[in-house]
């Protein structure tokens, strides 16, 4: 279907996709914390197979001139996950399309923009909450939610076709009965992750827990000079580690993550589909869709904490 604009410019289904793709990116960047901040990797298959290192190269080290140079390699395992499909339909009445055909694209463009904005708000919210969910059930097919932090970060069981007990690097650090969260506890958790090889951390937690942390940090805060201030200025950092608050995280939970060890695998970045859908009523329907999943190469450099009460 082609709509004629004033002048010689044509507005096609492909043109709609090009025009409103920036809206998709803008919403994901503004309306999500986890998706927006997480590294993306393009993958070539819906059934995504990847490799994780689980042991060092045993042949690395000092050698004498007379030593045999026997080949060695790092211990690696093959892992597997099925990506998930997310979509949202956007419909405009055929009467709007007719109006545009007769009077120019302006009214139709405005209608599409309004529907796209509302749909993206809902899709962004749904995806963000799914990533941050504390539930422990891993999905396996289209129709299931993306694998969440709660499901991936477990200390036992199987993941990606392998056993966590066989490969300790796939076993996350978990404490679901924290209670009072002392600042010294956070340092202890991070020390454990550093000992396991973690380096590049970020913390995700609820607004309530962020308030707990701010209050505890403020009690130790020192004011120097004659100027006064109340509260914190700028982003909240703990020993240089950013703390991100998100109301989509379940009450009492905190995730300390090693950002070098996880990413979002994307077979299809979110876009506006241009394939014509079967018509069942007097509307013109487009759809926003993407195919992706959250992937961790190792979990023992991340922590899942629950039961935080103060």
């Amino acid at each position: 279907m082609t709509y004629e604009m004033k002048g010689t410019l044509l507005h096609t289904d492909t043109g709609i996709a090009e025009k409103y793709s920036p809206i998709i990116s803008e919403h994901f960047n503004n309306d999500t914390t986890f998706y927006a901040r997480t590294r993306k990797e393009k993958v070539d298959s819906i059934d995504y197979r990847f490799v994780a290192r689980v042991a060092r190269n045993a042949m690395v080290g000092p050698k004498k001139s007379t030593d045999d140079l026997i080949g060695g390699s790092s211990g690696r395992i093959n892992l597997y996950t099925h990506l998930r499909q997310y979509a949202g339909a956007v419909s405009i009445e055929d009467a709007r399309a007719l109006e545009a055909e007769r009077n120019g694209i302006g009214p139709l463009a405005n209608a599409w923009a309004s529907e796209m904005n509302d749909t993206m708000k809902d899709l962004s919210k749904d995806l963000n909450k799914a990533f941050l969910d504390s539930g422990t059930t891993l999905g396996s097919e289209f129709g299931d939610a993306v694998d969440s932090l709660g499901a991936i970060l477990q200390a036992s069981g199987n993941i990606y076709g392998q056993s966590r007990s066989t490969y300790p690097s796939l076993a996350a650090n978990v404490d679901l009965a924290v209670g009072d969260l002392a600042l010294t506890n956070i340092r202890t958790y991070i020390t454990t992750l550093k000992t396991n090889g973690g380096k590049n951390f970020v913390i995700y937690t609820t607004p309530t827990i962020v308030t707990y942390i701010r209050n505890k940090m403020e009690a130790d805060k020192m004011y120097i000079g004659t100027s006064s201030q109340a509260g914190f200025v700028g982003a909240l950092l703990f020993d240089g580690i950013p703390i991100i608050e998100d109301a989509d995280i379940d009450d009492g939970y905190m995730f300390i993550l090693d950002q070098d060890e996880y990413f979002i695998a994307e077979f299809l970045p979110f876009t506006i589909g241009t394939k014509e859908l079967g018509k069942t009523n007097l509307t013109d329907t487009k759809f926003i869709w993407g195919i992706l999943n959250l992937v961790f190469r190792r979990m023992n450099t991340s922590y899942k904490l629950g039961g935080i009460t103060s």
Side-chain angles (χ1 to χ4, degrees):
M1 183 182 295
T2 301
Y3 306 118
E4 185 176 358
M5 295 183 67
K6 294 177 180 178
T8 58
L9 185 62
L10 297 180
H11 190 89
T12 65
D13 284 351
T14 301
I16 289 175
E18 292 174 351
K19 182 176 179 63
Y20 294 110
S21 287
I23 293 178
I24 295 176
S25 297
E26 180 180 352
H27 273 288
F28 276 126
N29 289 333
N30 294 336
D31 297 343
T32 69
T33 57
F34 189 79
Y35 179 89
R37 292 178 59 91
T38 299
R39 175 170 50 95
K40 317 296 188 304
E41 289 192 11
K42 181 175 175 56
V43 301
D44 296 325
S45 176
I46 295 169
D47 296 314
Y48 179 50
R49 299 180 185 277
F50 58 104
V51 174
R53 184 182 182 189
V54 294
R56 70 185 298 274
N57 187 335
M59 298 309 297
V60 171
K63 302 289 183 182
K64 294 186 296 185
S65 298
T66 55
D67 285 344
D68 290 331
L69 295 179
I70 301 173
S73 62
S74 300
R76 300 179 186 276
I77 55 173
N78 295 315
L79 304 175
Y80 160 85
T81 186
H82 186 78
L83 305 191
R84 311 298 152 72
Q85 182 171 250
Y86 274 71
V90 183
S91 297
I92 296 295
E93 295 174 340
D94 281 349
R96 292 279 191 180
L98 180 60
E99 180 182 41
E101 187 177 351
R102 291 181 178 178
N103 301 317
I105 196 61
L108 182 65
N110 292 337
W112 276 119
S114 177
E115 291 295 335
M116 290 290 181
N117 273 301
D118 289 344
T119 300
M120 279 308 305
K121 287 178 182 178
D122 294 338
L123 184 57
S124 298
K125 177 75 171 179
D126 188 78
L127 188 64
N128 194 63
K129 188 170 181 60
F131 280 129
L132 297 172
D133 191 79
S134 62
T136 57
T137 301
L138 291 164
S140 61
E141 59 187 3
F142 280 174
D144 293 338
V146 291
D147 290 332
S148 68
L149 292 175
I152 294 174
L153 298 179
Q154 299 189 65
S156 61
N158 295 334
I159 188 167
Y160 303 147
Q162 300 288 354
S163 169
R164 299 179 198 260
S165 60
T166 302
Y167 300 106
S169 63
L170 301 181
N173 304 275
V174 178
D175 182 354
L176 299 181
V178 175
D180 179 51
L181 181 67
L183 298 183
T184 53
N185 294 148
I186 301 177
R187 288 196 175 97
T188 299
Y189 298 139
I190 293 169
T191 298
T192 297
L193 302 183
K194 288 180 177 179
T195 301
N196 291 343
K199 296 179 180 179
N200 182 22
F201 301 111
V202 65
I203 298 173
Y204 288 90
T205 192
T206 70
T208 299
I209 294 174
V210 166
T211 299
Y212 296 156
I213 295 172
R214 286 183 185 274
N215 290 341
K216 293 172 191 289
M217 293 175 71
E218 191 138 40
D220 297 332
K221 196 171 182 181
M222 182 180 296
Y223 296 92
I224 301 175
T226 58
S227 297
S228 63
Q229 64 179 18
F232 280 81
V233 177
L236 181 61
L237 301 174
F238 182 85
D239 291 349
I241 298 171
I243 299 178
I244 312 300
E245 65 177 79
D246 196 308
D248 285 336
I249 299 175
D250 292 334
D251 290 344
Y253 276 84
M254 172 186 284
F255 302 99
I256 307 175
L257 308 177
D258 181 357
Q259 297 178 96
D260 292 341
E261 299 299 341
Y262 68 90
F263 59 94
I264 294 174
E266 289 189 324
F267 176 76
L268 175 69
F270 279 96
T271 186
I272 297 174
T274 57
K275 181 179 176 63
E276 189 70 27
L277 299 180
K279 212 167 173 60
T280 59
N281 51 37
L282 295 176
T283 62
D284 184 13
T285 300
K286 303 290 184 285
F287 56 98
I288 302 168
W289 69 319
I291 300 175
L292 71 166
N293 204 4
L294 176 60
V295 172
F296 274 68
R297 293 192 186 277
R298 63 189 301 199
M299 295 82 169
N300 69 333
T301 55
S302 292
Y303 232 117
K304 177 173 66 175
L305 302 167
I308 300 171
T309 58
S310 61

